[in-house]
Amino acid sequence: LWTLIHHTPLRIPAPSRPAHSRDVPLPPTLSRVMSRSATAPPANAYEAQREAKIAENKARMAQLGILDTSRALSHAADAARVAARNANVRSPNPSSHTPRDRSRAAPAVSRRSSRLTGVTPHDYRECDGMLDASEGVGRGGKVQGNSRGWDEEVAYNPEVYTAVQREALGTCAAPWTLFVDGYEGSVRIYDKGPAGQCCHQCRQKTVCKHTSCESCGLKRGTFCGDCLMMRYGENVDEVLAAGSAWQCPPCRDLCNCSQCRQRKGWPATGTLYRKALREGYASVAHYLVLGSTETESEDRDEEMEDVKA
């Protein structure tokens, strides 16, 4: 049995070719491959079947014209690449090879030093009466660091306060601890749902204590505790305890948020709380009202007394 298995040659029938492919002439290369495969005996049955399949596939591609189409596309692509390469090659410039005339002297470069030319140098120092760049806007209505230049003066309405506004400034009996209410550690709690309220000053919807003004009954009377202390010097707990007796800063014409100041034609104040504390004011509102109108209001009061007399 072992002799019959290992010495009996395995006979595999030759693959059948379609009847319509016998009349199609094969390419020369394919003919040589097929003739060589026909003359050289295959090493085993697997190689014989593989060669037969290869020959059949090549014959089928030759009949369908795939080989000719692939060859034509390859030649067309090569021709397009050659044409593009030739088009990108710049024509030689005959004038570039001419020797340069070294007898011509180079023009002298004029010095740009203002000290030597006698021109008065430009003064880049900041104007007097303006705040630091970190504070934003000065009292004179000039904005530092604007996108159109440092020397540009933006036209704003004059910022004038009356004695009624000075008397309407708020106070507090107990101090308010900042950055505690509505915080988890050092992270502020924001809530866009019904639990959060939007502060008129910072326009942040947070979960903390907020005021409500019964005088106007509008959303502009909603201030968070931190903004109420930093911007107006009032304690939110005392305001909530006062109830209807308290009026919001917009009702007292003291609101210094960017939107209310823009309606009056005034520039935004920026972060002024630390500067107000350094100069001895209780809040930003006290800094704006008392710091800019104290002398003017006193002069105005004296003039009114002289008129009455």
Side-chain angles (χ1 to χ4, degrees):
L1 180 60
W2 184 88
T3 304
L4 291 176
I5 293 175
H6 291 278
H7 291 278
T8 302
L10 180 62
R11 297 180 180 179
I12 298 176
S16 60
R17 297 177 60 185
H20 59 272
S21 64
R22 296 177 182 176
D23 301 332
V24 178
L26 299 177
T29 305
L30 184 58
S31 301
R32 289 196 299 270
V33 171
M34 294 185 65
S35 61
R36 184 168 61 252
S37 62
T39 56
N44 50 38
Y46 171 76
E47 293 293 339
Q49 186 177 6
R50 179 175 176 274
E51 293 293 339
K53 287 291 184 182
I54 291 175
E56 182 181 357
N57 291 337
K58 288 184 177 181
R60 179 67 60 84
M61 288 189 295
Q63 178 185 5
L64 298 176
I66 296 177
L67 296 178
D68 297 337
T69 304
S70 176
R71 192 179 299 109
L73 293 176
S74 177
H75 291 322
D78 294 340
R81 282 194 296 269
V82 171
R85 184 174 63 250
N86 294 337
N88 292 333
V89 176
R90 295 185 302 178
S91 60
N93 187 6
S95 61
S96 61
H97 300 285
T98 57
R100 186 173 56 181
D101 186 7
R102 299 182 181 274
S103 61
R104 186 185 307 172
V109 180
S110 60
R111 297 181 62 89
R112 300 179 60 185
S113 175
S114 58
R115 179 178 59 84
L116 297 180
T117 55
V119 179
T120 303
H122 184 74
D123 188 6
Y124 292 97
R125 293 177 299 177
E126 299 177 0
C127 300
D128 297 335
M130 297 180 65
L131 303 178
D132 298 336
S134 59
E135 301 295 345
V137 182
R139 294 178 181 174
K142 296 182 180 180
V143 180
Q144 287 188 340
N146 55 71
S147 60
R148 292 175 291 181
W150 284 81
D151 297 336
E152 181 180 356
E153 183 175 353
V154 182
Y156 291 114
N157 296 334
E159 188 171 346
V160 180
Y161 297 92
T162 63
V164 176
Q165 291 173 313
R166 185 173 56 179
E167 295 175 358
L169 290 172
T171 57
C172 63
W176 170 262
T177 305
L178 299 175
F179 313 124
V180 175
D181 182 34
Y183 283 79
E184 288 184 355
S186 60
V187 180
R188 197 174 188 183
I189 305 174
Y190 297 92
D191 189 356
K192 296 182 179 180
Q197 287 183 297
C198 184
C199 175
H200 176 74
Q201 185 74 35
C202 63
R203 292 187 285 275
Q204 301 296 322
K205 196 171 185 180
T206 57
V207 180
C208 61
K209 295 179 180 179
H210 288 81
T211 62
S212 60
C213 180
E214 297 185 8
S215 177
C216 62
L218 302 176
K219 290 185 178 180
R220 69 178 188 178
T222 303
F223 289 82
C224 64
D226 292 348
C227 289
L228 192 66
M229 173 57 65
M230 291 188 293
R231 307 294 296 193
Y232 305 98
E234 303 178 36
N235 192 323
V236 65
D237 291 332
E238 299 175 0
V239 169
L240 294 177
S244 60
W246 179 80
Q247 289 184 342
C248 62
C251 289
R252 290 175 285 168
D253 197 19
L254 291 176
C255 186
N256 52 54
C257 73
S258 58
Q259 292 181 348
C260 292
R261 289 181 62 87
Q262 185 178 7
R263 294 191 190 99
K264 297 179 181 180
W266 299 347
T269 62
T271 307
L272 288 180
Y273 178 64
R274 297 185 183 277
K275 184 176 181 63
L277 293 182
R278 288 197 303 265
E279 297 193 10
Y281 295 97
S283 66
V284 176
H286 292 77
Y287 169 79
L288 295 174
V289 177
L290 300 179
S292 60
T293 62
E294 185 173 2
T295 304
E296 297 175 2
S297 60
E298 290 178 358
D299 296 340
R300 193 181 304 109
D301 294 341
E302 292 177 0
E303 293 176 0
M304 293 297 295
E305 291 177 359
D306 295 338
V307 171
K308 293 179 180 179

